[in-house]
């Protein structure tokens, strides 16, 4: 019976050692889980910050694009008006040249 008790004691010791090993592995795993959760939380916070920054940049970009589009419209209208002025000036110049040309055929008036 002593021999059976010794065998039983050996099994018990091995069982206790296995349980202790499992407890240590669980503790290590809990630490790893906690570190991973902290890293996840940190990254989620960084993502929120970056989303906020992205929203600001997108809003700013949209405003700048709208301003550029308005400037493009103003420039196009201004260029079109300027071309009309140039055309009118050319027409006026041509008319003036014709008038001056016809004045050369009129004799000069003599003053008293």
């Amino acid at each position: 019976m002593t021999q059976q008790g010794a065998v039983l004691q050996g099994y018990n010791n091995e069982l206790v050692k296995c349980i202790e090993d499992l407890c240590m592995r669980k503790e290590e795993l809990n630490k790893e889980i906690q570190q991973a959760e902290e890293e996840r939380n940190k990254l989620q916070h960084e993502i929120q910050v970056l989303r906020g920054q992205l929203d600001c940049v997108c809003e700013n970009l949209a405003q700048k694009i709208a301003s550029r589009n308005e400037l493009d419209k103003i420039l196009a209208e201004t260029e079109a008006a300027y071309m009309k002025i140039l055309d009118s000036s050319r027409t006026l110049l041509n008319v003036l040249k014709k008038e001056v040309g016809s004045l050369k055929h009129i004799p000069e008036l003599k003053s008293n």
Side-chain angles (χ1 to χ4, degrees):
M1 197 51 112
T2 359
Q3 187 177 7
Q4 291 173 338
V7 170
L8 185 59
Q9 184 63 36
Y11 289 157
N12 187 45
N13 289 341
E14 195 174 330
L15 183 60
V16 168
K17 186 177 185 298
C18 284
I19 291 172
E20 287 174 352
D21 286 346
L22 287 174
C23 286
M24 285 178 29
R25 287 167 80 183
K26 179 184 173 190
E27 215 174 286
E28 289 175 13
L29 191 56
N30 279 337
K31 287 179 185 178
E32 291 175 7
I33 289 171
Q34 184 178 3
Q35 289 173 346
E37 287 174 341
E38 288 172 2
E39 181 68 14
R40 180 193 62 200
N41 292 338
K42 176 184 166 193
L43 291 173
Q44 284 177 336
H45 176 71
E46 289 176 10
I47 288 170
Q48 286 177 328
V49 169
L50 290 173
R51 278 193 183 131
Q53 291 174 349
L54 179 61
D55 289 345
C56 288
V57 168
C58 287
E59 184 178 326
N60 187 287
L61 179 61
Q63 290 173 350
K64 287 182 179 185
I65 289 172
S67 294
R68 182 189 61 194
N69 291 343
E70 185 64 25
L71 285 175
D72 284 344
K73 179 182 170 188
I74 291 169
L75 279 170
E77 290 171 355
T78 302
E79 287 173 353
Y82 184 68
M83 292 306 289
K84 286 180 182 178
I85 291 171
L86 287 178
D87 190 45
S88 295
S89 295
R90 183 178 64 241
T91 302
L92 178 61
L93 181 60
N94 289 338
V95 168
L96 185 60
K97 284 180 181 179
K98 284 181 186 177
E99 291 295 322
V100 168
S102 67
L103 285 178
K104 291 181 182 177
H105 301 298
I106 298 176
E108 288 187 30
L109 296 174
K110 294 183 182 174
S111 46
N112 274 341

